[in-house]
Amino acid sequence: MKIYRTQAALAQGLAESRGSLGFVPTMGALHDGHLSLVRRAQEENDAVAVSIFVNPLQFGAREDLSKYPRTEEADLEKLEGLSVDHVFVGEVGDLYPEGFCTAVVIQGEVTQVLEGERRPGHFDGVCTVVAKLFHLFQPDRAYFGWKDFQQVCVLRRMVQDLGFPVELHACPIEREADGLAMSSRNRFLSGADRGLAARIHEALSQARKSVRHGQADVARLCASVKERLAGDFEVEYVEVRDELDFGRVESLDSHPGRARMLLVAKIGGVRLLDNLLLNPR
Ligand code: PAF
C-alpha cells in the first residue's frame, strides 16, 4: 500500500498505476461502512485509491471541526488489511494553499433544503473538495454511501453538470447488529443514548412494513415515524424523496422502487442521519 501526503507525490504514484481506478473519498475515522465501499471498489476496478482528509470547507461556523475524530494510524491499518493500492492523506496547506478562493457551488433545491438549509455552505465545501479530488485522482469510478443520501444526490448533479468522466456509485448503508447506521458520529453517543439510537432504524423499518401492508399516504408515514421517535429524540425532519432525482415524493406509486424515507434525529447533542428505501422492488 502506497501512502502519499502531497498532491505531487500522489500524481506521481497514480501515473504508475495501470488499469481502471476506483476511488473512495473519506474524512478518516474509518468504520465498516467505509470498508464496504473499498471492497466494492476492489471488486469493480484494477486498483483502488482512498483519500483521508478532514475537509475544513464543509464545516459550518457553528460546527466544531476540531472535534472531528482523527484516527489516522488505525485508519491506515484497516486499509493495509484490505491491501488498498493508494492512500492519500491530505493536508490543508497542500490542498488549500494561501490564496485559494475557488468554490464549486451547485444551485437548486438539492443543496438548499434539509441538510443544505441546516448546514449553510456544507455542500459547497463537499463539492469543492470532491471536484478537486476527482481532478487529482481521475478515477473511473467513485464510491459513496447511501447513508449521506443528499450528498449522493448533490454529487451526482455535479458530475452530470460539470461532465466529470467518472461513474458515481451509491452503496448500501452498513448497519450495526441492532440496525444503527454506521457513522463516525456514533462514538459520541453515551451508553444509554447508544441503546436508544437503534430505534431510528426500527422506526424506518416499521414505515417500510406499513407500506408493504398497503399504507401509501406519505404524510401519515412520516408523522408516524416522528411520533415513534418524539419522546427520546429531537426529530429535525422526516421526508420521502426520490433516490434518482431528489424529487419530493407525494405518492409512492409514482416512484416505484425509488422512494427513500430520510430523517435526522438528535439525541444527547448528536445528529444521527438515516434513510431507508420504502418500496424496494
Ligand atoms: O462523506 C464524506 O466523508 C465527505 O463528505 C467527503 C465525501 C469525503 C468529502 O469530504
Side-chain angles (χ1 to χ4, degrees):
M1 181 172 91
K2 292 191 182 125
I3 301 170
Y4 314 95
R5 292 185 185 272
T6 63
Q7 297 180 73
L10 173 71
Q12 208 173 342
L14 289 179
E16 289 157 20
S17 182
R18 296 284 165 262
S20 62
L21 183 69
F23 174 45
V24 182
T26 80
M27 297 211 296
L30 301 182
H31 49 67
D32 283 348
H34 297 109
L35 303 186
S36 73
L37 302 181
V38 171
R39 284 192 202 95
R40 169 90 179 266
Q42 287 177 321
E43 279 162 28
E44 297 178 355
N45 299 277
D46 297 312
V48 169
V50 175
S51 64
I52 298 176
F53 177 58
V54 182
N55 173 34
L57 296 188
Q58 68 189 77
F59 288 78
R62 287 175 301 150
E63 298 171 35
D64 200 344
L65 170 65
S66 67
K67 282 212 183 114
Y68 198 86
R70 285 163 169 85
T71 57
E72 185 183 312
E73 206 178 316
D75 292 346
L76 293 176
E77 235 169 72
K78 288 176 185 165
L79 297 176
E80 179 85 68
L82 291 182
S83 306
V84 165
D85 303 275
H86 307 276
V87 180
F88 174 58
V89 183
E91 306 271 345
V92 176
D94 183 49
L95 281 161
Y96 303 133
E98 220 184 305
F100 184 94
C101 55
T102 296
V104 177
V105 178
I106 308 301
Q107 293 170 333
E109 196 198 12
V110 72
T111 56
Q112 305 304 309
V113 299
L114 306 177
E115 292 306 291
E117 189 182 336
R118 287 159 181 84
R119 305 181 66 190
H122 170 69
F123 288 122
D124 300 348
V126 170
C127 289
T128 303
V129 79
V130 172
K132 202 166 161 121
L133 294 170
F134 280 176
H135 283 308
L136 270 172
F137 285 84
Q138 301 189 18
D140 297 279
R141 300 178 188 86
Y143 298 82
F144 298 86
W146 268 128
K147 160 90 179 9
D148 294 305
F149 170 86
Q150 195 170 355
Q151 172 170 278
V152 167
C153 297
V154 169
L155 290 173
R156 229 168 14 201
R157 189 76 254 164
M158 180 185 84
V159 163
Q160 203 174 326
D161 289 357
L162 297 182
F164 280 99
V166 59
E167 274 175 31
L168 200 148
H169 292 263
C171 304
I173 298 174
E174 289 292 313
R175 298 185 179 278
E176 302 290 353
D178 63 1
L180 176 65
M182 289 187 186
S183 165
S184 52
R185 292 181 187 171
N186 294 351
R187 71 188 67 206
F188 298 122
L189 292 167
S190 71
D193 291 349
R194 170 63 192 83
L196 289 168
R199 295 189 43 221
I200 294 176
H201 182 245
E202 272 168 35
L204 288 170
S205 304
Q206 191 56 49
R208 177 151 80 181
K209 209 184 263 175
S210 308
V211 171
R212 229 181 278 140
H213 291 145
Q215 177 60 272
D217 183 330
V218 171
R220 286 191 58 176
L221 286 164
C222 293
S224 101
V225 166
K226 270 187 199 153
E227 263 164 43
R228 279 175 184 277
L229 297 176
D232 297 307
F233 299 86
E234 182 194 322
V235 181
E236 288 189 13
Y237 59 78
V238 182
E239 276 199 13
V240 182
R241 296 251 167 190
D242 187 301
E243 70 172 33
L244 274 189
D245 63 10
F246 193 69
R248 207 169 173 154
V249 171
E250 308 290 350
S251 144
L252 295 177
D253 293 342
S254 334
H255 304 261
R258 306 195 312 260
R260 258 180 204 265
M261 176 174 271
L262 33 143
L263 66 77
V264 168
K266 222 166 149 181
I267 187 164
V270 184
R271 273 184 101 233
L272 298 171
L273 283 80
D274 203 350
N275 64 77
L276 194 70
L277 195 57
L278 286 183
N279 55 357
R281 286 182 199 269

